[in-house]
Amino acid sequence: MSRAAQIVNFARNWIGTPYQHQASLSAVGCDCLGLIRGVWRGLYGSEPFMPPPYSADWAEATGEETLAEAARHHMQEISLAVASAGDVVMFRWRDNLPAKHCGILTGPDSMVHAHDGACVSEVSIGLWWKRHRAYAFRFPDSP
């Protein structure tokens, strides 16, 4: 199985997990970062660090690209134009705000993500999502 297929498989195994802010347990609860953390654990066995507690409005409160900066320390940043299945894509809710949402691509126009008020699901990436893309990252070959 290719690395990308393995990542997509790990991500799809989280489908149906309820949304829970700051959580990262498959079938129990997770947020969008928790999904990425869980897939990381599936690939490598442990996380490089535990993120500090964060509020639901952390991006609006700080105005800093905290999520993207953390990803840069542990993943390979890639162009949105080359992002493909198995890659992490980050989104901004508005142009003037930092990226604060992420998902794992499962195809050119689909992703698995955790969203407040819903269970982890695989969704189409329509025009709204495409307009809000901000960054893309690839899981490293080794942690």
Side-chain angles (χ1 to χ4, degrees), residues 17-96:
T17 298
Y19 181 87
Q20 180 66 45
H21 178 65
Q22 293 189 28
S24 181
L25 293 172
S26 180
V28 175
C30 72
D31 58 11
C32 65
L33 177 57
L35 171 66
I36 306 305
R37 292 173 51 210
V39 170
W40 182 284
R41 289 191 307 269
L43 289 168
Y44 309 117
S46 63
E47 296 177 60
F49 75 99
M50 288 297 296
Y54 49 93
S55 66
D57 68 345
W58 62 267
E60 295 85 352
T62 67
E64 298 174 10
E65 291 286 359
T66 306
L67 189 60
E69 287 301 319
R72 283 187 183 110
H73 288 291
H74 304 287
M75 305 176 98
Q76 175 190 2
E77 187 167 8
I78 59 173
S79 164
L80 286 164
V82 301
S84 59
D87 294 333
V88 173
V89 177
M90 293 184 182
F91 302 89
R92 302 178 193 285
W93 294 139
R94 292 191 192 116
D95 288 342
N96 62 332

